C-alpha cells in the first residue's frame, strides 16, 4: 500500500472524508476540522507526513486530539493557539523540543484537525495514530493497550487555560481530564502519552494517515462510492435504510444515544438499532448483535458514502451502515478489556464482525 | 504582640482551637487537621515558625490548603504524601527548592493542617496566610487582592493524582480546580500563588499563626472563655441561643445551607439566621444584616468558646455567634469585589460589623 509524504490543501477534502469514515460517528464532525486545517495550511504551508520509523529514537512525539462531546465542540471552535500552549508546556517539562505531531485518534475531526495542529507548530505529522478509528474515552488508546504508562496529559482550552495531569492510571486520567474539559466549557485540546519514537514503536496504529487519505480518494474517485468503500475496507453491510429515530443527550462531557434504521430496498422489513457514546458502539438487529466495539461501525450516506457523524444524524436520512475489523491490537485480551463491549457497560462477549451474520 | 518561633506538640491543641475560631465555620473541622499535625510532629519533629521578612527575597513559599466541601474532607483523610507530590512538582517547575510552607487559609483544618504539611516536608511555616480567616473559593486570597497573577495551581489527591493548572484568571482557577477536586473524590491538597518572599510582602496577612495560637491560649486559660474571646477579638456578640434549624447540602465541591438560632437568656425572643457556603457568610436578624463577609462570623460553644464548624452543627446546641472585623485588605474596593457580599451573590452593600447594630 502506498503511503504519502505530505498533506497539501488539495489532499484535504479526501483526507477529511477518510477520517469521517474511520470516525464511527464520532471524533467530531470533520467539517470543523477541515476548515481549521485549510486555514492552517494556507497560513503555515504543507505538512510533511513521516512514518514512525523515521522519528529519532529519542524524538518527542506530541499526540493531540480534541476532547469533549462532539455536539459541543461543533459549536465551540478552538482559538488555534491551543497547540502552541501545549507544545510550550511539554517542551518546558521535557527540556527539549517536540519532533512531530501525531493524531491521537484518526477518526473524525481529530484526524483532520491534526493537520491543522501540526501546521500551526511547523512540525511533521506522524503517519500513525493511537486508535485506527475514534473512541470516546481518554484511556482508550493503543499506547495503553501496549502497557505504556499515562505519564502526562496536557489540556488547553479556547480561553487559554492550561492544565497538566499526572494521573495514577487510565481511568483516573479519563475522570480528571473529562472534568477539566467540562469546567472549561465542554471542549479542549489534549496531549496524552507524550513519548519518544522508540517508546511508541509497536504501540500505535501505523499508516493511519495514509489509510484515511486512501479511503477518501477511493470514495471520491468511484462512480459507486459505497460499493468501492465496502471493497476497500472488506466491510460487512449491516443494513441500508432510512433513519426513523435519533435519540441524543449531551452531558458529563459525552453525547449518548441511539439510532434506529428502517431497511429499504433489499433490506425492507428489517430494522437496525445502533447505540452511541460519541461513537457508534453496538449494532443490534432483533436483539442480536450484528457488530460491536472495538470493530468499526460507520453510518454512510447511501449516495456519496460520506460518513454521517453522531451530531449530524437526522430523521429521514438514507444511509448504509457498514462494519469492518478493527486493528488487531484491539482484539487482544488487553485491547478488549480497554475498549471491548464490557468497557462500555455491555454484558456481552466480543465476536469479530466477520463472524457475525 | 508576641509572636512564636516554633510549633511543638504541646502547642497544637491551643493552635487548633484558634484556627477553629478563625475558620468562620469552614476551612474544615480542626479535628482532622489536629490529628494529622500531631502525627506529623511526632514523626518529623517541631515546625519552626518564621515571619515573612525572614524569608529570602527569592525564597519560594509554598501556600497549601485543602480544597473541597468540608463535609467530604471530614470523611476522606489525606494520604500524607500529597505535600511531597506537590513540592516535587513545584521544585521541578521552578528548578529550585521550596524555602517554606504557608497556610493559604489560617481558618479551620487548613490552618492546623499546614503544620502537618510543613513537618512532612521538613520546612518552616511562615507566620502568615492568604486570608486571615477561611473563604470557600480559590480566588478569594489576599494575593489576588494585591493584584498578583494566579501563576500556578498544583493539586494532589489521596490516590496520588497530580494536576497542575495555569489558569488565565481567578474565576477560571476556581472553576477548574473545583472540577478537578470533585473528580478526585471531593477533596484534595492544593498549592496556589507559589511566589517568592519578595513577591508575597504586602500581599498576605502577616502574623496569622501567632494570632491563632494566641486566640487558642486565651480561650484555654480563661475561666470565662467566651468573654475572654470577645475581649481579645473586640468582637460583636450577635446572639446567644439554641440551634433550632440546620440545613446543609453538599454538591459541586461545596456545602451550602443555613442555620437558625433561637435566642436564650438576655436574647430570648430574638432569632438569628446565618447563611453558609462552607463558611458563614451573612447573619440576618428580622431581615436586617447583622454581619456579613468579609468580616468574620463564628459560632462558638457557649461554655467552652470552641468554634462549631459547619459540618458539626446540630439541633439543640447552645452557642454564641460572634463577629469581628476582617483584615483591612478585605475592606478595600478590590477586597470587597473578590470576597464581599456581592461576590457570593448577595445584593447588598458591605457595612463593617462595628457599624451594624
Amino acid at each position: 500500500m502506498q503511503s504519502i509524504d505530505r498533506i497539501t490543501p488539495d489532499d484535504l477534502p479526501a483526507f477529511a472524508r477518510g477520517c469521517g469514515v474511520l470516525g464511527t460517528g464520532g471524533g467530531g464532525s470533520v467539517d470543523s476540522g477541515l476548515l481549521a486545517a485549510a486555514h492552517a495550511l494556507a497560513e503555515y504551508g504543507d505538512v510533511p507526513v513521516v512514518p514512525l520509523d523515521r522519528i529519532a529514537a529519542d524524538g518527542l512525539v506530541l499526540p493531540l486530539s480534541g476532547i469533549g462531546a462532539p455536539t459541543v465542540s461543533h459549536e465551540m471552535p478552538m482559538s488555534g493557539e491551543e497547540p502552541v500552549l501545549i507544545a510550550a508546556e511539554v517542551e518546558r517539562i521535557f527540556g527539549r523540543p517536540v519532533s512531530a505531531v501525531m493524531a491521537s485518534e484518526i477518526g473524525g475531526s481529530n484526524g483532520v484537525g491534526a493537520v491543522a495542529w501540526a501546521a500551526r507548530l511547523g512540525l511533521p505529522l506522524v503517519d500513525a495514530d493511537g486508535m485506527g478509528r475514534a473512541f470516546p474515552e481518554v484511556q482508550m488508546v493503543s499506547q495503553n493497550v501496549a502497557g505504556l504508562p499515562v505519564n502526562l496529559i496536557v489540556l488547553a482550552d479556547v480561553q487559554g487555560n492550561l492544565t497538566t495531569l499526572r494521573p495514577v492510571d487510565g481511568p483516573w486520567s479519563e475522570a480528571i481530564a473529562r472534568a477539566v474539559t467540562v469546567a472549561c466549557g465542554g471542549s479542549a485540546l489534549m496531549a496524552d502519552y507524550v513519548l519518544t519514537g522508540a517508546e511508541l514503536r509497536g504501540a500505535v496504529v501505523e499508516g493511519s494517515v495514509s489509510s484515511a487519505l486512501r479511503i477518501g480518494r477511493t470514495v471520491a474517485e468511484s462512480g459507486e462510492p459505497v460499493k468501492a468503500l465496502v471493497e476497500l475496507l472488506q466491510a460487512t453491510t449491516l443494513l441500508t435504510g432510512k433513519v426513523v429515530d435519533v435519540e441524543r443527550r449531551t452531558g458529563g462531557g459525552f453525547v449518548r444515544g441511539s439510532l434506529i434504521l428502517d431497511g429499504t430496498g433489499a433490506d425492507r422489513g428489517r430494522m437496525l438499532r445502533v447505540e452511541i457514546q460519541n461513537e457508534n458502539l453496538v449494532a443490534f438487529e432483533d436483539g442480536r448483535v450484528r457488530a460491536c466495539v472495538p470493530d468499526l461501525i460507520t453510518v454512510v450516506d447511501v449516495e456519496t458514502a460520506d460518513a454521517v457523524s453522531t451530531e449530524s444524524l437526522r430523521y429521514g436520512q438514507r444511509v448504509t451502515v457498514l462494519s469492518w475489523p478493527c486493528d488487531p491490537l484491539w482484539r487482544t485480551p488487553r485491547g478488549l478489556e480497554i475498549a471491548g463491549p464490557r468497557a462500555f457497560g455491555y454484558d456481552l462477549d466480543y465476536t469479530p464482525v466477520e463472524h457475525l451474520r
Side-chain angles (χ1 to χ4, degrees), chain A:
Chain A
M1 288 191 287
Q2 204 191 332
S3 58
I4 53 163
D5 65 358
R6 60 180 47 246
I7 289 187
T8 69
D10 288 348
D11 298 322
L12 283 181
F15 182 60
R17 286 177 91 163
C19 292
V21 169
L22 293 171
T24 65
S29 161
V30 294
D31 297 340
S32 55
L34 179 56
L35 201 64
H39 282 153
L41 290 190
E43 189 160 353
Y44 304 104
D46 295 353
V47 168
V49 176
V50 297
L52 183 60
D53 61 19
R54 291 260 297 284
I55 301 293
D58 64 350
L60 270 188
V61 176
L62 188 67
L64 292 173
S65 66
I67 170 172
T71 41
V72 172
S73 51
H74 196 53
E75 299 299 321
M76 188 172 131
M78 294 185 174
S79 74
E81 293 309 295
E82 294 89 345
V84 178
L85 283 174
I86 290 177
E89 174 83 346
V90 164
E91 294 184 347
R92 201 184 51 67
I93 290 171
F94 284 86
R96 60 189 210 270
V98 169
S99 297
V101 167
M102 185 180 85
S104 287
E105 111 182 318
I106 194 68
S109 190
N110 277 324
V112 66
V115 174
W117 307 321
R120 176 66 188 87
L121 293 172
L123 290 173
L125 184 66
V126 180
D127 191 0
D129 80 309
M131 302 184 189
R133 47 164 294 160
F135 274 126
E137 299 188 14
V138 172
Q139 78 279 11
M140 295 172 171
V141 289
S142 58
Q143 297 96 316
N144 188 14
V145 179
L148 295 173
V150 206
N151 58 340
L152 186 70
I153 291 181
V154 184
L155 294 139
D157 73 10
V158 68
Q159 293 86 14
N161 292 302
L162 189 73
T163 304
T164 304
L165 314 180
R166 297 177 183 276
V168 291
D169 61 22
W172 279 110
S173 73
E174 165 59 27
I176 303 173
R178 189 72 49 182
V180 170
T181 302
V182 172
C184 291
S187 179
L189 187 67
M190 176 175 69
D192 62 349
Y193 289 94
V194 181
L195 297 163
T196 64
E199 289 167 320
L200 288 174
R201 265 158 220 157
V204 293
V205 178
E206 294 197 45
S208 320
V209 174
S210 296
S211 173
L213 190 58
R214 189 163 52 245
I215 290 168
R217 284 179 177 160
T218 300
V219 167
E221 290 161 8
S222 170
E224 294 182 275
V226 173
K227 184 157 175 273
L229 189 58
V230 167
E231 282 170 11
L232 177 68
L233 299 171
Q234 296 287 295
T236 300
T237 301
L238 302 182
L239 192 94
T240 293
K242 197 172 74 168
V243 176
V244 293
D245 193 84
V246 182
E247 186 210 328
R248 273 174 305 219
R249 52 195 182 283
T250 302
F254 294 113
V255 51
R256 296 170 200 268
S258 65
L259 170 69
I260 297 175
L261 293 160
D262 192 4
T264 53
D267 291 334
R268 184 175 303 272
R270 294 171 50 199
M271 298 195 83
L272 193 76
R273 172 184 169 87
V274 180
E275 302 199 346
I276 298 164
Q277 178 186 341
N278 288 11
E279 279 74 41
N280 303 318
L281 300 181
V282 186
F284 294 97
E285 180 173 353
D286 292 334
R288 280 183 310 117
V289 174
R290 293 287 314 280
C292 69
V293 276
D295 286 334
L296 293 85
I297 301 169
T298 288
V299 179
V300 301
D301 182 281
V302 76
E303 297 295 336
T304 65
D306 271 317
V308 181
S309 63
T310 299
E311 66 273 25
S312 57
L313 286 166
R314 58 180 196 281
Y315 180 86
Q317 279 168 323
R318 306 283 168 154
V319 298
T320 292
V321 185
L322 303 179
S323 182
W324 64 100
C326 58
D327 188 274
L329 73 86
W330 292 115
R331 292 181 167 189
T332 62
R334 184 161 166 87
L336 291 171
E337 185 193 321
I338 291 169
R342 291 185 197 281
F344 293 93
Y346 288 94
D347 186 21
L348 59 90
D349 292 325
Y350 169 71
T351 308
V353 61
E354 62 271 28
H355 301 155
L356 289 165
R357 278 290 164 265

